[in-house]
Amino acid sequence: MNTRQWLETLVAFDTTSRNSNLELITTVRDSLQQQGVASWLAHNKDKTKANLFATLPATAGPHAGSTEGGIVLSGHTDVVPVDGQKWDTDPFKLTEKDGALYARGSCDMKGFIATALALVPEYLAMPRVKPIHLAFSFDEEIGCIGAPVMLEEIVKRGIKVDGCVVGEPTSMNVVVAHKGINVFACKVHGKSAHSSLTPQGCNAIEHAARLICAIRDFADGYKANGPYDQFFDVPFSTMTTNQIRGGIAVNTIPELCEFTYEFRNLPGMSVADIQAQIDKYIAEVLLPKMRTEFPDARVEIDNFAGSPALEAVEQAAITELVRALTGDRETRKVAYGTEAGLFQQIGIPTIVCGPGDIGNAHKPNEFVTLAQMERCEQFLRKLGKSLQAA
């Protein structure tokens, strides 16, 4: 299949993160197998989702057949929901209009995956002295949950690679850094009572509100005082509370309030130090106040998702190669997170470069332009040729 056909196939699978991605993964696996490419899967605990890792061995030179070294092309297979969005076309059917391809995931990021898969026959025919690896993950959109399962298996298998390109939408520009993302679930436990007997209760919502305001104060501190990195569109670390739930009735003091918060840290900032501020506020301010009302009051925090920041090394071979192939020499750093930091964390030099504008991701009528897809195809073809014998 060509790139257009692969993209049409991929977007037809509703791989919204709440759903299984196995049908897509098995389709890709079977296609690769038919071309003689071996792959393995790394599943979630329930076996309802899977990552796929495939290797196209070196085809030339003294190390023909080798799977050592080479470059990983990485992308996530899940997409965000279309619930409540007004689409002009079927979000799970590829539609071309005015030089663009519309569908959920066309931009973020099945366009990159489709291009890589379409080039497999060319890669196999190239006299490459290095392998090319494909790494397709699940559940990136809900906190990069899937990729660590695959990366753990890569380490366990002793797979060594030279570099990685994560094909998130960057308009085919080179992104050398992004912030880390850290997502926490917080449960504030108080004591219920009839609202007419307020002193007999411990209002979990009100105390959760104090904690939420403290988190906002910490966020304001980073905005006002830094540290800063002016290459980022948002040049400081951010902290936000994005979901909250609590209470059972208008006349009942709530015994439980749950909320989620996240912070996106600049590269080099300690995640533990940022969270320590919140833990200190809970231990020294919030809980003492709550326990004057209810001695068994408590606060639970669970860091249930996250991905480390990326700070690529300019001198790394993968950075120099991608800059040479794209002709892009600008320094670009972004606030959104990707799986690139996870690859870097296990010692694989990584950059981010892929088709589409991130501004079109997650929205109704998501699209990627034909011009971007063509640029991606040219880039990935040149990347394959860069691995050929001199």
Side-chain angles (χ1 to χ4, degrees):
M1 291 192 288
N2 61 29
T3 299
R4 169 69 176 267
Q5 291 168 328
W6 262 117
L7 184 55
E8 189 170 23
T9 298
L10 296 176
V11 301
F13 296 112
D14 180 359
T15 52
T16 304
S17 302
R18 62 182 172 232
N19 300 331
S20 171
N21 74 333
L22 288 182
E23 194 173 357
L24 182 153
I25 288 292
T26 54
T27 297
V28 172
R29 180 197 62 192
D30 292 348
S31 174
L32 293 172
Q33 188 174 21
Q34 290 168 8
Q35 299 175 77
V37 178
S39 63
W40 49 264
L41 305 185
H43 293 83
N44 64 345
K45 291 181 180 179
D46 298 331
K47 305 293 185 182
T48 56
K49 300 180 181 182
N51 304 287
L52 178 146
F53 190 89
T55 297
L56 287 60
T59 56
H63 300 293
S66 172
T67 59
E68 289 292 307
I71 295 173
V72 176
L73 304 179
S74 173
H76 63 82
T77 62
D78 62 316
V79 297
V80 298
V82 298
D83 304 27
Q85 294 184 338
K86 185 178 180 181
W87 283 70
D88 297 329
T89 60
D90 184 342
F92 299 106
K93 182 178 180 180
L94 195 67
T95 304
E96 181 178 347
K97 184 174 65 174
D98 299 328
L101 298 170
Y102 291 80
R104 172 57 87 224
S106 57
C107 174
D108 186 17
M109 57 176 298
K110 292 178 178 178
F112 179 81
I113 295 175
T115 309
L117 290 171
L119 285 172
V120 166
E122 289 188 40
Y123 287 154
L124 292 173
M126 290 177 182
R128 291 173 292 102
V129 296
K130 291 277 190 175
I132 292 174
H133 311 272
L134 305 176
F136 303 146
S137 66
F138 67 86
D139 283 0
E140 187 271 352
E141 295 289 6
I142 54 174
C144 297
I145 294 172
V149 180
M150 174 171 55
L151 295 174
E152 182 180 350
E153 186 67 19
I154 288 173
V155 172
K156 187 184 301 182
R157 289 173 180 247
I159 297 171
K160 304 295 183 184
V161 298
D162 300 324
C164 175
V165 178
V166 174
E168 288 279 4
T170 67
S171 299
M172 290 308 301
N173 295 316
V174 180
V175 167
V176 295
H178 64 65
K179 293 181 178 180
I181 178 171
N182 310 271
V183 187
F184 297 81
C186 180
K187 294 182 179 180
V188 177
H189 297 269
K191 182 182 178 182
S192 64
H194 194 284
S195 60
S196 65
L197 303 172
T198 296
Q200 295 181 14
C202 178
N203 193 311
I205 289 178
E206 292 177 353
H207 288 293
R210 296 178 190 273
L211 178 53
I212 290 168
C213 288
I215 291 171
R216 174 58 188 261
D217 289 342
F218 295 138
D220 288 344
Y222 288 122
K223 182 178 180 180
N225 305 312
Y228 303 106
D229 184 334
Q230 298 300 334
F231 283 109
F232 282 91
D233 44 4
V234 179
F236 48 86
S237 297
T238 59
M239 305 174 75
T240 56
T241 300
N242 298 328
Q243 293 176 305
I244 189 168
R245 180 173 68 251
I248 61 171
V250 69
N251 60 352
T252 303
I253 301 297
E255 66 176 346
L256 175 66
C257 182
E258 303 174 78
F259 65 92
T260 61
Y261 65 94
E262 65 157 41
F263 55 82
R264 296 176 182 254
N265 57 291
L266 292 173
M269 290 194 68
S270 167
V271 172
D273 287 350
I274 296 174
Q275 179 57 31
Q277 298 175 99
I278 297 173
D279 294 338
K280 183 178 180 180
Y281 175 84
I282 292 170
E284 298 182 2
V285 179
L286 185 65
L287 279 177
K289 184 178 289 288
M290 291 182 70
R291 285 172 178 167
T292 63
E293 302 171 355
F294 177 49
D296 293 330
R298 69 187 194 279
V299 176
E300 299 175 67
I301 293 181
D302 176 29
N303 182 193
F304 70 90
S307 182
L310 170 72
E311 185 77 81
V313 177
E314 283 292 344
Q315 294 74 30
I318 189 65
T319 310
E320 292 180 346
L321 174 62
V322 175
R323 286 204 181 284
L325 296 180
T326 60
D328 181 16
R329 297 291 174 182
E330 290 190 31
T331 299
R332 290 186 179 83
K333 303 182 179 183
V334 296
Y336 59 83
T338 79
E339 294 169 336
L342 291 166
F343 281 91
Q344 188 181 63
Q345 194 174 55
I346 66 167
I348 301 175
T350 304
I351 58 88
V352 184
C353 182
D357 183 343
I358 192 65
N360 294 325
H362 297 197
K363 294 181 177 180
N365 301 318
E366 177 182 347
F367 70 89
V368 63
T369 66
L370 294 170
Q372 280 286 302
M373 293 297 289
E374 176 61 27
R375 283 184 62 186
C376 182
E377 189 169 310
Q378 292 173 358
F379 164 69
L380 290 183
R381 183 174 289 113
K382 288 190 290 185
L383 185 147
K385 291 179 178 179
S386 76
L387 301 178
Q388 294 182 173

